[in-house]
Amino acid sequence: MIRRLLVLSVAAAALLCAGVAVAQDAEVLEKGKAVFDAAKPACTACHNEKKNPLDKYGATGTAEDAKAWIRTPKEMLEKTGTKGMMPAYSAKKISDEDLEALAAYLVSLK
Ligand code: HEC
């Protein structure tokens, strides 16, 4: 009996944790989208439906690469042999915490 109760409460706790994790994920993605929308210069000036769209970024891109693009675009352009220009966003423009949320948001786009 006690054992069954224990199993049940462990299961309930696990469910609760999963629920909290999902809520936190949604919060992070919402924040990431807000960072994307608020960034200056605007990401959408160069990434929109017409050119270099990011709306499928998560199908192939990783969070690590997204962060590297945002912090060190010149190096990424060189590394990938891509022509073009993208400004670097330092921690003054996009904090480390915001960068994590932004990368999670980009990876969620599929
Ligand atoms: C002045 C133009 C410009 C701005 C502003 C800009 N980018 Fe870019 N970005 C580029 C170009 C050019 C590339 C390389 C071509 C490509 O892969 O889209 C690129 C590449 C990327 C990539 C890699 C895309 C891929 O398919 O692997 C990501 C991710 C990215 N940018 C995110 C951002 C985010 C987030 C912002 C805003 C915080 C931003 N960019 C602002 C021009 C810009």
Side-chain angles (χ1 to χ4, degrees):
M1 179 62 191
I2 289 193
R3 196 162 169 178
R4 183 173 289 174
L5 263 180
L6 205 68
V7 169
L8 273 179
S9 50
V10 168
L15 272 178
L16 204 68
C17 285
V20 170
V22 168
Q24 277 174 344
D25 279 357
E27 231 168 80
V28 168
L29 297 185
E30 214 168 283
K31 181 174 170 186
K33 181 171 184 346
V35 173
F36 182 80
D37 289 340
K40 294 220 162 50
C43 311
T44 49
C46 302
H47 297 284
N48 49 56
E49 345 37 277
K50 293 211 182 79
K51 51 177 185 178
N52 302 328
L54 292 173
D55 60 344
K56 299 267 189 304
Y57 178 76
T60 51
T62 65
E64 279 316 305
D65 278 350
K67 288 189 268 185
W69 273 103
I70 294 159
R71 287 283 195 252
T72 55
K74 205 163 156 263
E75 285 77 352
M76 290 304 275
L77 285 164
E78 272 168 26
K79 198 174 132 186
T80 57
T82 312
K83 287 213 175 70
M85 202 295 262
M86 174 169 159
Y89 296 82
S90 69
K92 272 192 200 136
K93 288 198 170 162
I94 297 178
S95 73
D96 285 345
E97 201 191 325
D98 284 356
L99 184 67
E100 290 296 333
L102 176 53
Y105 167 67
L106 291 171
V107 168
S108 78
L109 304 175
K110 287 178 186 158

